[in-house]
Amino acid sequence: MDTPEKTASRPIDFIRQIIADDLRTGKHRTTVTRFPPEPNGFLHIGHAKSICLNFGIALENNGVCHMRFDDTNPSKEEVAYVESIMRDVRWLGFDWHDKLFYASDYFPALYDFALQLIRLGKAYVCELSAEAIREYRGTLTEPGRESPWRNRSVEDSLDLFQRMRNGEFAEGSHVLRARIDMASPNLNLRDPVIYRILKVPHHRTGDTWCIYPMYDYTHCLSDAIEGITHSLCTLEFEDHRPLYDWVLDTLQTPCHPQQIEFARLNLTYTVMSKRKLLQLVKEGYVDGWDDPRMLTISGLRRRGYTPAAIRSFCNEIGLGKRESWIDMTVLENAVRDDLNVTAPRVMCVLDPVKVVIDNYPEDQAEELEAANHPQDPAMGSRKLPFSRELYIERADFMDNPPAKFHRLGPGREVRLRYGYLITCTSVVKDEGGAIREIHCTYDPATRGGSAPDGRKVKGTIHWVSAGHALPCQVRLYDRLFVVENPEADKDINFKQHLNPHSRIAIETAMAEPSLAGLAAGTQVQFERQGYFCADTVDSAPGRPVFNRIVTLRDTWARTQQKLD
Ligand code: ATP
Ligand code: MG
């Protein structure tokens, strides 16, 4: 099982510092954090930052992290989302043990708290329309105006609120508002709505409720009910903190968690809002939430990203108070670094051209020993069939190569990875001038790739035996958007920045036969090409489909480049 690293390798961040201080001074004896997704979409890489933070802090301090579904808007929420979220958090390597909660479980308690606020004169039923409420709220430069219902009696509000709950009123006709300060410079404190009528069944509570509490009201009370010590959220909630504190102070809850905000993850070449991701799915720009180009956890998983790579990315980007952008290459490097260590090396020719070894017997085949990982002998080796006819990459041959081209050309000698040195003697072209076959001779004394006479051969290329090769489909994925920030210009729809070449399907690829038995979801390195993963949805027995996770840039690729 894939388990998270207990200690972060970077200097302690400001949140961990606050928590360490609270434990040291005895303000808290333990830490209780929570991850509170709204089940209205799939989780994305931004959520991973929050998951790694909240569950990470629990692991580091022997605390607990609650899994809580913030399910207060039944019109947008679905059980399917709840299930995908749980699967994704577990896959990332985290465990909430028995601490699974739903805000909807607190509906009765939240209703009682609302009655209490009314009795305290701190909430009232308002009959202004949503539009009028917005108008009355004022702006950053003008104070708001008081609702004509603001000073109705406690008895009236109690009666009306109960009748709201009983379904006597139409949606939009009545709301419950906190009675705070219409002149507050903080708009969130200008008598915010805390309950609205929604005649929509809820995926957990069915038809029990037709009034639903608002996020700001629900969140702080859910935290308090669960005994959360530190409620960590993204910066856009900073202006909501006074409301968070007002609700808990006014109700004098025994537990008053500390809300701390951090900067959300912004990643280049992607969009992170669930609403926009949903649009891409619904409008068919991608093949679902788990499309390997999506920066959802399910998309990253299908693409071949590992939980360790995503955790390492979240650790590396750190935690701050200032909005910032992380370059996509940071994420790509994280998975490269992980797979460089863990992924077995194999060979696959994406754009094959045939090589005929004229001095190799026609009906002969032999097996060559190939290391699964050149730097890690513990990963063992496998047998590669070698025969008279091979495939190599079309780009590894040039008819008229410049001196610096260290691969194959007429009269040139090249090394076949784990195989022999071969020398090109002639080429056969079709009428159009395209190369059909490359004829070579091999040097039987160079089995394994080195010449006993010590002659230098710079280039090494990958290959597969034509008669043994496994045909497969390879999908070359690239970034989904062509610009760094697809949302930068409000007047241009983000979808206009979609990359038309974000997926290129290659039908011609030929892989070494050992890949026939590769389990779907397994990562490998195609030598010189990149890291790939057998697709879990579209691979068929004997006909794998490979997703490119990321291109290559490890040591071997670098030396290759230099040599080429
Ligand atoms: P929406 O896009 O629908 O507003 P959301 O992305 O905020 O929703 P939630 O389900 O409310 O989604 O998020 C759950 C938790 O994940 C919240 O605590 C939120 O702050 C955090 N989170 C969401 N996006 C990011 C992000 N980009 N970086 C860091 N944390 C995030
Ligand atoms: Mg949210």
Side-chain angles (χ1 to χ4, degrees):
M1 150 90 192
D2 181 82
T3 39
E5 316 57 33
K6 230 181 170 175
T7 41
S9 59
R10 52 179 11 262
I12 187 167
D13 57 68
F14 77 102
I15 292 185
R16 286 179 167 87
Q17 188 61 57
I18 293 173
I19 289 175
D21 290 345
D22 287 350
L23 291 171
R24 190 172 37 77
T25 59
K27 179 176 174 191
H28 295 295
R29 270 178 308 170
T30 178
T31 60
V32 186
T33 49
R34 84 288 169 270
F35 174 63
E38 182 181 351
N40 63 352
F42 282 53
L43 297 182
H44 52 60
I45 185 73
H47 293 114
K49 177 173 179 175
S50 176
I51 293 167
C52 290
L53 174 66
N54 282 292
F55 282 95
I57 283 172
L59 276 175
E60 291 152 25
N61 296 293
N62 292 318
V64 287
C65 179
H66 295 185
M67 178 75 196
R68 184 200 312 144
F69 287 98
D70 234 317
D71 53 350
T72 52
N73 186 359
S75 50
K76 290 197 178 150
E77 295 161 5
E78 286 176 26
V79 179
Y81 293 139
V82 171
E83 284 162 2
S84 80
I85 289 170
M86 295 208 267
R87 177 181 179 201
D88 288 349
V89 174
R90 284 209 187 91
W91 178 77
L92 280 172
F94 298 107
D95 191 348
W96 51 87
H97 304 284
D98 59 343
K99 305 297 184 195
L100 173 63
F101 302 102
Y102 295 83
S104 55
D105 290 343
Y106 309 135
F107 284 168
L110 296 171
Y111 180 75
D112 288 342
F113 280 128
L115 292 175
Q116 220 175 303
L117 283 179
I118 298 174
R119 286 191 199 102
L120 289 167
K122 297 292 184 187
Y124 60 97
V125 171
C126 180
E127 295 174 45
L128 289 178
S129 66
E131 203 184 318
I133 291 179
R134 220 172 301 125
E135 213 183 288
Y136 274 60
R137 185 177 297 134
T139 63
L140 284 173
T141 48
E142 290 164 48
R145 278 183 291 142
E146 294 190 352
S147 158
W149 314 103
R150 193 175 203 262
N151 294 315
R152 75 181 348 150
S153 70
V154 167
E155 289 66 35
D156 265 4
S157 277
L158 279 177
D159 174 57
L160 288 167
F161 186 52
Q162 278 155 11
R163 288 168 60 195
M164 278 169 66
R165 189 236 183 288
N166 293 340
E168 287 182 35
F169 304 121
E171 275 184 24
S173 65
H174 296 68
V175 291
L176 184 70
R177 297 176 68 176
R179 194 166 185 276
I180 310 178
D181 180 5
M182 287 310 291
S184 169
N186 184 337
L187 269 65
N188 293 307
L189 294 182
R190 294 186 187 172
D191 291 10
V193 172
I194 58 176
Y195 262 96
R196 80 271 204 218
I197 300 170
L198 265 185
K199 300 203 166 165
V200 179
H202 186 282
H203 63 102
R204 286 180 58 83
T205 58
D207 291 324
T208 310
W209 298 89
C210 62
I211 55 170
Y212 291 95
M214 300 299 286
Y215 176 85
D216 278 331
Y217 173 75
T218 308
H219 198 79
C220 53
L221 286 168
S222 305
D223 282 350
I225 291 168
E226 290 175 20
I228 300 299
T229 55
H230 301 86
S231 179
L232 314 177
C233 61
T234 38
L235 278 181
E236 66 271 24
F237 291 102
E238 196 164 18
D239 287 346
H240 298 240
R241 181 164 17 103
L243 178 55
Y244 185 106
D245 290 332
W246 181 90
V247 172
L248 299 188
D249 286 339
T250 306
L251 288 166
Q252 298 183 348
T253 51
C255 166
H256 189 139
Q258 180 183 3
Q259 175 178 309
I260 310 172
E261 308 86 19
F262 61 93
R264 67 192 297 111
L265 168 65
N266 296 306
L267 193 61
T268 56
Y269 300 99
T270 189
V271 293
M272 210 80 94
S273 124
K274 278 190 272 187
R275 198 172 47 79
K276 290 190 174 137
L277 295 174
L278 183 65
Q279 259 184 64
L280 294 177
V281 173
K282 286 246 158 98
E283 295 169 18
Y285 290 97
V286 294
D287 298 338
W289 285 100
D290 69 345
D291 184 299
R293 290 166 294 182
M294 292 275 273
L295 273 283
T296 50
I297 305 298
S298 45
L300 289 164
R301 174 170 57 230
R302 186 170 165 198
R303 174 89 165 248
Y305 271 74
T306 57
I310 295 175
R311 290 195 304 264
S312 143
F313 167 75
C314 291
N315 179 38
E316 189 162 328
I317 59 177
L319 206 65
K321 265 271 185 206
R322 223 162 1 108
E323 262 330 312
S324 68
W325 282 78
I326 301 293
D327 200 276
M328 182 67 97
T329 52
V330 179
L331 180 63
E332 291 166 348
N333 280 333
V335 75
R336 223 176 246 132
D337 287 350
D338 183 34
L339 294 178
N340 185 33
V341 177
T342 58
R345 273 53 172 166
V346 294
M347 294 201 277
C348 179
V349 176
L350 300 187
D351 182 15
V353 62
K354 189 171 272 184
V355 166
V356 181
I357 316 272
D358 290 317
N359 62 339
Y360 196 88
E362 234 168 277
D363 42 12
Q364 188 177 312
E366 65 186 287
E367 287 189 321
L368 299 168
E369 196 76 11
N372 291 334
H373 194 302
Q375 281 93 45
D376 184 4
M379 284 177 77
S381 62
R382 65 195 188 284
K383 304 265 191 246
L384 286 177
F386 182 86
S387 64
R388 180 182 161 92
E389 296 199 349
L390 316 171
Y391 290 122
I392 65 165
E393 215 65 67
R394 197 167 283 277
D396 281 338
F397 178 84
M398 271 181 91
D399 219 358
N400 231 326
K404 279 193 166 167
F405 184 79
H406 294 300
R407 292 169 277 171
L408 205 53
R412 302 256 180 124
E413 190 170 40
V414 78
R415 178 182 299 104
L416 295 174
R417 181 79 159 151
Y418 300 116
Y420 294 94
L421 301 181
I422 58 169
T423 303
C424 171
T425 50
S426 64
V427 291
V428 178
K429 296 182 181 173
D430 62 22
E431 287 108 65
I435 291 169
R436 253 193 19 227
E437 278 178 9
I438 301 166
H439 285 262
C440 296
T441 54
Y442 85 117
D443 179 351
T446 58
R447 199 174 198 262
S450 53
D453 63 4
R455 71 180 183 274
K456 289 269 181 291
V457 172
K458 279 190 176 172
T460 302
I461 63 174
H462 62 280
W463 56 277
V464 292
S465 164
H468 303 88
L470 174 73
C472 53
Q473 195 202 78
V474 173
R475 296 173 180 167
L476 300 182
Y477 289 109
D478 203 345
R479 295 165 182 182
L480 191 50
F481 292 93
V482 288
V483 296
E484 285 200 345
N485 178 4
E487 297 164 290
D489 188 338
K490 296 284 168 269
D491 296 329
I492 301 177
N493 189 300
F494 75 102
K495 287 177 287 188
Q496 291 191 15
H497 300 299
L498 281 164
N499 176 4
H501 309 296
S502 58
R503 177 174 64 198
I504 295 170
I506 295 183
E507 304 290 348
T508 53
M510 292 287 182
E512 62 168 77
S514 76
L515 290 181
L518 192 76
T522 312
Q523 292 87 350
V524 289
Q525 184 196 90
F526 289 174
E527 294 214 32
R528 300 174 71 221
Q529 306 277 13
Y531 294 99
F532 290 77
C533 180
D535 190 69
T536 46
V537 178
D538 294 331
S539 293
R543 170 90 190 158
V545 172
F546 288 100
N547 298 324
R548 181 169 73 193
I549 309 166
V550 69
T551 52
L552 203 65
R553 234 192 305 116
D554 70 357
T555 6
W556 197 59
R558 251 200 313 273
T559 27
Q560 264 318 106
Q561 259 163 19
K562 247 186 269 151
L563 293 174
D564 294 353

